[in-house]
């Protein structure tokens, strides 16, 4: 579940292994490029964590972040 905290929209995802996590990140990267909205994320083994905010709007959460979060959810399912 995404949560908004400290002007960021945040969520963690967990996968079976590193390969699955990396494949997910690849799909998200292609989507983010199309949307021209590039997330801050981290990856450690089977975990991917996102922290979304819109830099052009002063590093706050905007509709752009919510749209990317929704698109990421669809990739995850």
């Amino acid at each position: 579940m995404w949560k908004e905290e400290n002007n960021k929209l945040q969520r963690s995802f967990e996968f079976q292994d590193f390969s699955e996590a990396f494949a997910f990140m690849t799909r998200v990267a292609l989507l983010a490029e199309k949307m021209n909205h590039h997330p801050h994320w981290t990856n450690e083994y089977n975990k991917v964590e996102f922290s979304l905010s819109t830099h052009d709007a002063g590093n706050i959460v905007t509709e752009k972040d919510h749209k990317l979060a929704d698109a990421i959810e669809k990739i995850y399912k």
Side-chain angles (χ1 to χ4, degrees), residues 4-47:
E4 191 170 333
E5 190 173 89
N6 298 321
N7 291 321
K8 295 183 185 332
L9 196 55
Q10 301 174 323
R11 174 131 163 44
S12 296
F13 295 89
E14 193 167 324
F15 301 89
Q16 285 188 321
D17 55 29
F18 177 74
S19 293
E20 205 175 283
F22 197 86
F24 172 72
M25 290 176 68
T26 300
R27 291 190 301 273
V28 171
L30 294 171
L31 170 75
E33 186 66 17
K34 285 181 185 175
M35 294 178 77
N36 194 30
H37 192 44
H38 307 95
H40 172 80
W41 59 10
T42 61
N43 164 244
E44 185 175 350
Y45 181 57
N46 68 333
K47 293 179 183 161

Side-chain angles (χ1 to χ4, degrees), residues 58-73:
N59 292 317
I60 61 169
V61 176
T62 67
E63 183 62 27
K64 201 172 184 180
D65 301 299
H66 286 283
K67 285 181 182 179
L68 180 56
D70 289 344
I72 291 169
E73 282 297 321

